[in-house]
Amino acid sequence: MNKLSLNMVSAAVSTALLSAGANAYVLGSENTGNVEVYGVVAVSAYGHTGDDTNVTDYSIDNETRIGFRGSKQMTDGINVIFQVESGYTDVDDWAGGGLGFRDTFVGVEGDYGKVTVGRQLTPMYEVVDWPFTNPGLGRVFDPAATGDIAYMYDRTESIRYFAPAMGNLNINVATGRAGSGENAHWFGGAAKYKAFDAITFHATFEYGNNRKVSDEVKAGFEFDPVTGDKKAITAKDGVVTDTFTYLVGFEAPIASTGISIAAAYKYGQAENVATKNVDSQGSYSVVAQYWNGPLGIKLGYAATEDVESDDNSNVSKGASVTSLQVMGVVNGFVPYVRVGMTDQLGWGADPLEDQEIFARVGLEYGF
C-alpha cells in the first residue's frame, strides 16, 4: 500500500465509519469486556501519468482492515478501554496487514476524561488527516514535507489525554518518542471548538526535539552494482533537528444548501541542532463538498509554499494538488470516482515531468 493512499479515503466512507460502532459485532458479554469486531472492506484501482507512466499502468490498492475494541469496569471510578486494529491487507509496502499495526492501545476513562497508551494517531495528524486532506490532498498537505520539517505524523507509540468536554470545547494532548533520535521526544495538542452551533474551529501544534533526519556518512568509495565503476563517497554530517508545527482551520456548512467548506493553514519549521540553520514551510488546504441525498461531490485544493532556508541550503520548491471526487452511499456501500492533478508530484519529488494526472475508482463498506 502506497503511503499516499492513507489520506485518500472518501468523505462518504468516513461518514459511514463514524457510525460503524452501531453495526459492530459484539463477541462478548459485559463480563468479558464487550468486545466488538469492526472493520472496513476497501478496494480501489489507481492509475496516474507522469514519470514516463500513463494512467493504464494501474495498481489495485487494498485498504481492507479489521479491529477489535472493548471496555470493562475495573473499579467504580475506572473503566478500562482497549483496542487492537490491523493494518491494511496489502503486503507490498506499508502495513502488511499485521494485527496491531494501526490504532492499538489500552486506556482508562472516567469523570476525569480519558487516557490512552499505545499506538495511536498524534493530535496533530488526526486534524491534518481529517477533514483537510480528503479527497486525495495528502500527497501535498499531509507531510510538511520538502524541507524534512515533518512532525510525528501518522501513528506512533504515545501517551494521550482527552480532557472532559467543556461545553463546545474539546482538548487533547499527547507525548511520545520522536523517531530514532537519541533522547528524542515530541509533545503536541489539539483543540476543537464549535461556535454558533455551526462553525467548527481547529487548532493544533506539535514540538519535537532531537529528531534524527539522516546518519553521518564517512568519506570513502563504493562500487556501482551495475557497471562496477568505483565512485568516491563524500563525507556528510548526520542531521538532527528540533521541529515545530502548528495548524489552524475551520469547517463551516452553508445553511440550507447542502454545501460545506473546510480550510486550514499549516506551518512547520526544523532547526538543525548542530548548525542552528532553520528551514520552514507553509501549506494550506481548501475543500468544498456538496450532498444531495445519497450523492456527494467533493472538490479540494492543497499547496505547499517554497521552503525558506536560513543558509539557502534547501532550495526545494512547493507543490500543489487539485482533486475532484464523486461518491454515493448505497445500502451502506460507498462507490466513488476520484480524478485530479498534482504539480511537482508532491512529497518533495524531483520528477521527470512537472505534472501528474491521477484517477482512482473504488468501493468501500464499513461494518
Side-chain angles (χ1 to χ4, degrees), residues 291-363:
W291 281 94
N292 185 359
L295 178 65
I297 300 174
K298 200 165 191 180
L299 177 65
Y301 175 81
T304 57
E305 300 168 348
D306 295 348
V307 172
E308 295 186 3
S309 179
D310 284 352
D311 63 358
N312 298 317
S313 61
N314 191 327
V315 295
S316 298
K317 300 298 182 181
S320 66
V321 58
T322 303
S323 182
L324 174 68
Q325 180 170 291
V326 179
M327 54 206 160
V329 179
V330 184
N331 196 26
F333 292 92
V334 183
Y336 66 94
V337 177
R338 178 185 301 145
V339 294
M341 181 179 70
T342 306
D343 175 50
Q344 299 294 334
L345 302 189
W347 298 93
D350 184 16
L352 300 177
E353 298 179 18
D354 286 342
Q355 294 182 336
E356 173 195 66
I357 296 173
F358 60 88
R360 184 179 294 274
V361 179
L363 178 68

Side-chain angles (χ1 to χ4, degrees), residues 59-105:
S59 62
I60 302 297
D61 291 342
N62 194 337
E63 297 178 291
T64 299
R65 56 194 186 273
I66 194 169
F68 305 86
R69 61 187 172 211
S71 65
K72 186 175 182 180
Q73 202 75 20
M74 188 167 70
T75 69
D76 288 342
I78 299 178
N79 186 51
V80 177
I81 57 176
F82 49 89
Q83 178 173 301
V84 180
E85 189 169 293
S86 77
Y88 295 133
T89 302
D90 211 332
V91 297
D92 291 336
D93 189 9
W94 235 67
L99 193 62
F101 187 87
R102 285 173 61 87
D103 297 52
T104 298
F105 55 81

Side-chain angles (χ1 to χ4, degrees), residues 157-169:
E157 304 296 338
S158 62
I159 303 170
R160 195 170 178 185
Y161 171 67
F162 299 81
M166 294 168 278
N168 291 334
L169 176 64

Side-chain angles (χ1 to χ4, degrees), residues 45-61 356-359:
Y46 174 78
H48 65 92
T49 64
D51 273 351
D52 291 337
T53 64
N54 60 72
V55 76
T56 62
D57 294 328
Y58 66 90
S59 62
I60 302 297
D61 291 342
E356 173 195 66
I357 296 173
F358 60 88

